Amino acid sequence: MSFPQPGDPVRGSASGKPIMALLDLLGRRWTLRVLWELHQAPASFRELQARCEGVSPSVLNTRLGELREAQLLENGERGYQLSSLGLELVQRCLPLAVWAEGWAAQLPARPEK
């Protein structure tokens, strides 16, 4: 199992720049959701799968492995949890969540389905 690493070409960029490796990692299916859910609280595999409705066990297992290898999460007493690097990453993303709420409020109302 290997995650996108600084210095190596990644999807969409041959530059090897650290930001491109990070964006490649975060752009993988379910990665951001896993990080967001673990920011809320640590979780066992089954708990995390339930929180991430719809993720297959194989994809979740792959993402957890990549995130562990990237040192963004670790195994703790209560299951998977963010590492100090993972927590710092999520903390830096929180302003985007605030921005997204304001953005959503400014969009025209959507018709009910």
Side-chain angles (χ1 to χ4, degrees):
M1 183 171 309
S2 184
F3 69 99
Q5 296 190 33
D8 292 340
V10 296
R11 292 180 301 156
S13 177
S15 71
K17 292 185 179 186
I19 187 65
M20 299 311 296
L22 177 63
L23 291 174
D24 187 11
L25 177 62
L26 296 179
R28 293 178 176 200
R29 287 180 306 148
W30 296 101
T31 298
L32 286 171
R33 179 68 183 269
V34 167
L35 291 171
W36 192 255
E37 292 299 333
L38 291 175
H39 168 68
Q40 306 301 316
S44 68
F45 186 92
R46 287 182 190 239
E47 289 171 320
L48 191 53
Q49 187 179 16
R51 286 195 225 164
C52 298
E53 319 103 36
V55 66
S56 73
S58 61
V59 169
L60 181 57
N61 189 53
T62 298
R63 293 302 165 257
L64 291 171
E66 290 169 347
L67 291 169
R68 269 195 317 267
E69 192 177 349
Q71 299 180 17
L72 297 177
L73 65 84
E74 58 197 15
N75 294 327
E77 291 179 20
R78 295 183 38 207
Y80 295 98
Q81 63 187 33
L82 293 178
S83 66
S84 59
L85 279 174
L87 185 58
E88 181 183 357
L89 173 62
V90 172
Q91 292 294 325
R92 292 181 181 269
C93 291
L94 290 176
L96 284 174
V98 172
W99 181 89
E101 292 295 328
W103 172 59
Q106 299 221 2
L107 293 175
R110 297 177 68 184
E112 292 188 33
K113 293 182 181 182

